[in-house]
Amino acid sequence: MKLNRKSFLILLSTLTFGSLAIGKTMEKKKPKLSHHVFFWLKNPTSKEDRDKLIAGLRKLEKIETIRSLQIGVPADTEKRPVVDNSYGVSELMFFDDVKGQNVYQEHPLHKKFVEDCSSLWEKVIVYDSVDV
Amino acid sequence: MKLNRKSFLILLSTLTFGSLAIGKTMEKKKPKLSHHVFFWLKNPTSKEDRDKLIAGLRKLEKIETIRSLQIGVPADTEKRPVVDNSYGVSELMFFDDVKGQNVYQEHPLHKKFVEDCSSLWEKVIVYDSVDV
């Protein structure tokens, strides 16, 4: 196969940018369902309890229908009356759909998490949203 | 430049998968700060008010520090005591950091949104979380 310099550069550009475009498209396909959970700890000043909960949440990532998992704590944004920063730990997951979340809810790893960690929190609020 | 069939295939694979790997790395660099806002409408049964709020939220996307914006409504997940599905519309944004959110809060497009749409809601709760 013979390639002159110009053809080679065209081929190189096409393959590189074509593949980057595929990567970009893959990135843009966002899952539709967000599952945001806020935990208020029984001992809000215990760093140990907080870290135990965070460690428990990290183990959930292996559940196959979770498209992404972010574990958070209140951010240091401006204190405004509408901002609730009283929770201890938050967990934000994305699923493709309600079916994906149902698999998660019934998954042994999720049940084990509740068993191991539910003694740590005194209140939980869950918000499930679907993209419009 | 001469390329035999084998060299050509190796080059093709390297460029394709190399570029896909770059795309994948780009995808994985997640912004650290989530800003999740839940709106309770004054007229929760008014589809018109809901759509007006959603249209207002869509205009915020142009603010340069917003890394992603998802607008949602309560998902049809299982009704459990911990799930709050009483809100009308939700808005989930990601920023790189607190500075990015401050730019958003002070942005003319955000101020215009509050001016145009704040008469539609009776309650707002904001949760700002930073990844751990």
Side-chain angles (χ1 to χ4, degrees):
Chain A
M1 187 184 290
K2 270 191 185 180
L3 278 178
N4 63 26
R5 192 178 168 81
K6 197 179 161 193
S7 306
F8 175 73
L9 287 174
I10 291 171
L11 177 69
L12 185 77
S13 309
T14 308
L15 291 174
T16 306
F17 291 103
S19 304
L20 275 173
I22 294 169
K24 199 75 191 161
T25 310
M26 284 164 69
E27 179 191 354
K28 278 198 170 171
K29 200 194 153 233
K30 279 189 288 201
K32 292 283 184 197
L33 187 80
S34 69
H35 175 67
H36 212 161
V37 185
F38 298 89
F39 299 92
W40 282 260
L41 293 164
K42 269 184 198 152
N43 305 308
T45 56
S46 165
K47 203 187 164 299
E48 199 189 326
D49 280 13
R50 198 192 79 164
D51 290 349
K52 208 175 151 186
L53 177 55
I54 291 171
L57 287 167
R58 290 213 197 282
K59 291 183 194 158
L60 298 174
E61 203 159 23
K62 286 183 187 162
I63 298 174
E64 59 277 15
T65 57
I66 298 176
R67 295 289 166 250
S68 87
L69 167 65
Q70 282 173 263
I71 302 164
V73 295
D76 194 20
T77 46
E78 198 193 336
K79 311 298 173 246
R80 296 177 294 137
V82 291
V83 177
D84 187 345
N85 61 2
S86 64
Y87 64 95
V89 176
S90 64
E91 158 215 308
L92 173 61
M93 291 178 178
F94 289 95
F95 297 95
D96 288 335
D97 47 32
V98 174
K99 216 170 128 187
Q101 196 192 130
N102 291 345
V103 170
Y104 158 76
Q105 291 290 349
E106 295 303 320
H107 200 284
L109 279 176
H110 181 232
K111 290 187 189 252
K112 179 84 171 64
F113 162 74
V114 175
E115 200 184 301
D116 290 348
C117 295
S118 61
S119 63
L120 299 169
W121 63 74
E122 64 166 21
K123 192 178 97 173
V124 171
I125 299 183
V126 178
Y127 297 95
D128 288 327
S129 305
V130 66
D131 279 13
V132 286
Chain B
M1 187 183 290
K2 271 190 182 179
L3 279 178
N4 63 26
R5 193 178 168 80
K6 197 181 163 193
S7 307
F8 177 74
L9 286 175
I10 289 171
L11 177 70
L12 186 76
S13 307
T14 308
L15 291 172
T16 307
F17 290 103
S19 305
L20 275 174
I22 294 169
K24 199 74 191 164
T25 308
M26 285 164 67
E27 180 190 352
K28 277 199 172 171
K29 201 194 152 232
K30 278 188 287 197
K32 292 282 181 194
L33 187 82
S34 69
H35 174 70
H36 213 161
V37 186
F38 298 90
F39 299 92
W40 282 260
L41 292 164
K42 269 184 199 154
N43 305 308
T45 56
S46 165
K47 204 187 162 300
E48 199 189 327
D49 280 12
R50 197 192 79 161
D51 290 350
K52 209 176 152 186
L53 177 56
I54 290 171
L57 287 167
R58 290 211 197 283
K59 290 183 194 159
L60 298 174
E61 205 161 20
K62 287 183 186 161
I63 298 175
E64 59 276 13
T65 57
I66 298 175
R67 296 290 165 248
S68 86
L69 167 65
Q70 281 173 264
I71 302 164
V73 295
D76 195 20
T77 46
E78 199 194 332
K79 311 299 170 246
R80 296 177 293 137
V82 292
V83 178
D84 186 346
N85 61 1
S86 63
Y87 65 94
V89 176
S90 64
E91 157 217 309
L92 173 60
M93 292 177 178
F94 289 95
F95 297 96
D96 289 333
D97 47 31
V98 173
K99 215 169 127 186
Q101 196 194 128
N102 291 344
V103 170
Y104 158 76
Q105 291 290 350
E106 295 302 320
H107 199 285
L109 278 176
H110 180 233
K111 290 187 188 253
K112 180 85 171 62
F113 162 74
V114 175
E115 199 183 301
D116 290 349
C117 294
S118 60
S119 63
L120 298 169
W121 63 74
E122 63 168 20
K123 190 177 96 172
V124 171
I125 298 184
V126 178
Y127 297 95
D128 288 327
S129 304
V130 65
D131 279 14
V132 286

